[in-house]
Amino acid sequence: MSMAHPSRTHPAGYSARRIAACFTATVALVAVLAIDHTAATVHAAQPLGSARLNDGMPLTIAHRGDPASAPENTLPALEAALASGADIVELDVRLTLDGHAVIVHDELLDRTTNGAGSVAEHTLAELRALDAGTWYGSAWSGTGIPTLGEFLPLLQRSAARALIELKGVWPEEGLAPLAAQIYRHGVQDRVVIGSFEEETLLELWRTAPSLARAAVVRRLPADPVRFAERVGASTVVTSLRSFEVEPHAVDALHDAGITVVVYTLNNPRLWQRAIALGVDAVVTDAPRRHAHWQPSPAEA
């Protein structure tokens, strides 16, 4: 298939702190893609938006929901993130042994549940029996590992957007049902799918080409624009340090129409450094604070 990079447009005149991104897809196109999204090679406009449309302030991305309010990547944390004022909710998704998409960060269950071993070696029923809340506090005892299908209705009812990071390598038989769920809930224009795995990004491009993709990298490649275009990504997510070492990369990515996101910044000193670089969005464990934060005159 053609590997042409998806284009996107930014309407002028938007200045509200909590404004939703504008999208170029027509109702007719969405209807076609909802019926058979694998049949088209049209690329959706970038749902995450940009600081340029937000008075220069980076958008707030709630990391694993709102982990300051509830156990990470659980429904209470995701609900808290949606209520926090964050623009975007970030969550991590893995495949179970029997092919279900569940929301959990670690490869192993040991840190955030009372289970042990790999998520990928457990069925959904087995994971449903685990406690994913007690590690955080006794008040959260009995909180379970949610499925992606349980989160999407919450997103559907909100005005927020979502950055869904796929953990590990995902085959087509895992990606196709995931994409179908996103379309079934009508949130395809408010979702970006991210991954560290090039193989997963390329397979997603083939399987659901109209869904926006984010390349997540620990360090920027030598030519980040070429890399993003090669994997069909309209967003690049990396560390603040990556852009401080290569500050010209922000402008290069912006000139190519690519959204720039940095992770995971939890205090005003780091937020101010992100503003100075001109990034579009900040991943944070403190979404309520970041969503309502403004730099002081001294910081500006």
Side-chain angles (χ1 to χ4, degrees):
M1 61 172 273
S2 170
M3 300 296 274
H5 183 63
S7 62
R8 59 185 180 126
T9 59
H10 294 296
Y14 282 44
S15 60
R17 181 75 173 94
R18 292 291 171 262
I19 197 159
C22 293
F23 310 109
T24 58
T26 64
V27 173
L29 176 59
V30 170
V32 170
L33 294 177
I35 294 169
D36 182 10
H37 55 266
T38 63
T41 57
V42 178
H43 295 276
Q46 173 54 265
L48 295 190
S50 73
R52 188 159 57 86
L53 300 181
N54 198 46
D55 288 339
M57 287 291 292
L59 300 170
T60 303
I61 302 182
H63 187 221
R64 306 180 193 174
D66 181 358
S69 299
E72 66 177 58
N73 277 324
T74 62
L75 288 181
L78 296 168
E79 290 171 334
L82 291 171
S84 71
D87 303 281
I88 301 148
V89 177
E90 187 267 351
L91 55 147
D92 305 285
V93 179
R94 291 185 177 274
L95 278 174
T96 67
L97 180 63
D98 49 348
H100 293 276
V102 291
I103 303 174
V104 61
H105 177 272
D106 295 4
E107 179 182 359
L108 301 178
L109 294 161
D110 305 58
R111 181 177 66 88
T112 59
T113 79
N114 61 343
S118 171
V119 173
E121 294 175 351
H122 290 73
T123 66
L124 178 60
E126 290 169 339
L127 295 175
R128 289 285 201 193
L130 299 179
D131 182 318
T134 299
W135 70 273
Y136 188 89
S138 58
W140 304 100
S141 177
T143 302
I145 296 175
T147 64
L148 181 64
E150 290 172 317
F151 167 71
L152 291 176
L154 303 178
L155 180 65
Q156 183 183 42
R157 293 192 293 268
S158 78
R161 287 152 273 173
L163 174 59
I164 300 173
E165 183 181 336
L166 304 183
K167 291 295 189 181
V169 175
W170 281 57
E172 188 276 337
E173 55 267 30
L175 292 169
L178 177 139
Q181 284 192 75
I182 291 169
Y183 275 90
R184 187 161 59 248
H185 287 90
V187 294
Q188 62 272 13
D189 287 339
R190 291 194 281 133
V191 166
V192 174
I193 309 297
S195 178
F196 279 99
E197 307 292 340
E198 293 184 40
E199 181 180 343
T200 296
L201 290 171
L202 291 170
E203 187 58 53
L204 179 64
W205 197 351
R206 288 187 289 266
T207 302
S210 61
L211 289 178
R213 293 164 297 280
V216 189
V217 294
R218 291 176 178 84
R219 298 182 63 181
L220 286 174
D223 188 340
V225 172
R226 184 175 181 183
F227 170 74
E229 291 176 340
R230 182 167 58 80
V231 297
S234 54
T235 295
V236 168
V237 183
T238 190
S239 67
L240 181 70
R241 179 63 176 162
S242 291
F243 287 116
E244 289 182 328
V245 171
E246 300 289 347
H248 67 278
V250 175
D251 286 339
L253 289 164
H254 282 164
D255 289 345
I258 296 168
T259 295
V260 173
V261 175
V262 292
Y263 63 73
T264 301
L265 312 183
N266 294 329
N267 63 65
R269 179 179 58 85
L270 295 175
W271 299 339
Q272 184 58 46
R273 284 161 60 183
I275 290 176
L277 283 169
V279 306
D280 298 305
V282 166
V283 179
T284 181
D285 293 322
R288 291 177 187 274
R289 190 177 176 200
H290 185 269
H292 303 289
W293 172 77
Q294 293 289 335
S296 68
E299 291 171 325

